[in-house]
Amino acid sequence: MKVLTTIQQVRDFVQAARARQLSVGLVPTMGNLHEGHYSLIRAAAKECGCVVVSVFVNPTQFGPNEDYATYPRTPEQDLAGCQAGGAAAVFMPSVEEMYPRGQTLATVSIASLGDNLCGASRSGHFTGVCTVVSKLFNIVRCDKAFFGMKDFQQLTIIRRMVDDLNFPIEIVPCPTVREPDGLAMSSRNSKLSKEDRAQAPALHASLELAREMILEGVRDSRAIIEAIAAKIAAQAPGGAIDYVKVVHPDTLKDVQVPDGPVLVALAVRFQGARLIDNILVDAAAKAS
Ligand code: AMP
């Protein structure tokens, strides 16, 4: 496995892979890799002859009061995991390599898909994401790129960006990997206190409650949201709800009456970390 730090090294590496007729898969990450990331790498290794994992904590997707400085960075451990997962190369650029002039003047932004959910409380976040992912797509020029459904809004936005801007890349969604107690794996979980970590599985449990309600025929999003909020208040008092939403999985717009496929999504702030999670439910598939 090659460790690449410059854009030119990536271009040369991918060109050599292409000369060997290998298809190229990209797994963009911010490092501190866990089983969720490794599932993406394994999926990429199944579908592509050459897998490139990028490890880059992208400053432009963090707001001024967010956790850029304290985001967990574990490069040695990440390299070992990438190798075990079947990556052919890891791209670990410096901030200067990615942004040699400081902020880029050219950015990629997305309209309405970025307004709801995390976009509502993280101003500029998805412009940072779309810009860095566009840069990675242009650097690696992969055939396929693999994204987790844990960050469902990000996945939806990247799919739309690729479609609207004609990137010749297939976006492959990968299911959320969870801890045995249901908590979605996240690099930020390690920043939770012991008490908050013990409470955090309430997020997934409340989403499962929402699923049951919808499948049992509840057609009032407000009632579903209130039930989620009540469960979180009872089981995770250390968390403050940022949002709980029932939205359409394609438009990400609020749905008042869930009667087809919906995404139930939430974000909760604990002292050490803001956590997100979601589930897809098809309201039309009523419980028998
Ligand atoms: P991050 O390093 O948090 O930016 O995540 C990099 C990629 O891994 C994104 O596509 C995430 O959606 C994905 N990812 C993060 N956590 C998980 C998880 N628990 N299960 C599946 N994919 C994940």
Side-chain angles (χ1 to χ4, degrees):
M1 188 183 76
K2 292 271 186 221
V3 180
L4 312 171
T5 55
T6 70
I7 292 167
Q8 192 55 50
Q9 285 171 346
V10 178
R11 291 203 193 287
D12 293 345
F13 180 83
V14 170
Q15 197 178 17
R18 290 227 179 271
R20 294 194 291 139
Q21 313 296 324
L22 297 176
S23 63
V24 178
L26 171 66
V27 181
T29 81
M30 296 204 300
N32 191 233
L33 303 183
H34 50 66
E35 232 353 91
H37 298 110
Y38 296 134
S39 73
L40 270 56
I41 297 171
R42 285 195 296 269
K46 259 194 198 147
E47 293 190 31
C48 304
C50 170
V51 175
V52 178
V53 179
S54 62
V55 173
F56 180 59
V57 185
N58 172 41
T60 68
Q61 69 189 68
F62 288 80
N65 299 318
E66 294 184 355
D67 57 350
Y68 174 68
T70 61
Y71 195 86
R73 290 160 168 88
T74 51
E76 301 297 318
Q77 182 188 312
D78 294 348
L79 287 176
C82 287
Q83 176 130 36
V90 179
F91 179 38
M92 277 186 170
S94 64
V95 172
E96 293 69 34
E97 181 69 11
M98 290 297 278
Y99 299 107
R101 300 187 189 88
Q103 266 278 24
T104 57
L105 291 183
T107 57
V108 180
S109 63
I110 187 103
S112 59
L113 286 175
D115 294 345
N116 204 358
L117 307 175
C118 290
S121 53
R122 300 189 71 188
S123 163
H125 170 66
F126 287 113
T127 297
V129 169
C130 287
T131 303
V132 79
V133 170
S134 298
K135 285 166 72 71
L136 290 168
F137 285 173
N138 283 327
I139 291 165
V140 179
R141 283 183 280 183
C142 52
D143 301 292
K144 299 187 182 193
F146 296 75
F147 288 86
M149 293 172 72
K150 198 205 88 168
D151 299 274
F152 198 94
Q153 186 173 22
Q154 169 174 283
L155 168 68
T156 305
I157 284 173
I158 297 294
R159 280 176 139 167
R160 183 62 187 255
M161 176 186 88
V162 160
D163 215 31
D164 282 354
L165 300 183
N166 308 99
F167 282 95
I169 294 172
E170 182 189 335
I171 302 301
V172 182
C174 301
T176 301
V177 177
R178 299 180 178 283
E179 299 287 356
D181 61 13
L183 177 64
M185 288 192 176
S186 164
S187 305
R188 291 188 168 100
N189 291 350
S190 63
K191 297 172 76 186
L192 296 172
S193 68
K194 208 167 155 233
E195 292 72 26
D196 289 345
R197 173 62 188 84
Q199 294 177 14
L203 274 55
H204 177 59
S206 73
L207 292 171
E208 285 297 337
L209 170 67
R211 187 204 301 277
E212 277 170 36
M213 290 175 74
I214 293 169
L215 294 182
E216 278 166 9
V218 177
R219 291 289 173 266
D220 176 2
S221 292
R222 215 171 33 185
I224 294 162
I225 290 165
E226 278 170 10
I228 292 176
K231 195 169 178 74
I232 290 175
Q235 296 187 356
I241 290 175
D242 181 351
Y243 66 78
V244 179
K245 294 261 181 177
V246 180
V247 301
H248 190 282
D250 299 330
T251 64
L252 304 182
K253 290 203 187 317
D254 291 351
V255 169
Q256 311 302 337
V257 180
D259 54 6
V262 289
L263 181 81
V264 187
L266 53 75
V268 175
R269 280 180 206 284
F270 291 92
Q271 208 181 6
R274 175 180 175 279
L275 303 184
I276 59 172
D277 202 352
N278 68 77
I279 47 164
L280 275 172
V281 188
D282 184 0
K286 243 180 157 184
S288 51

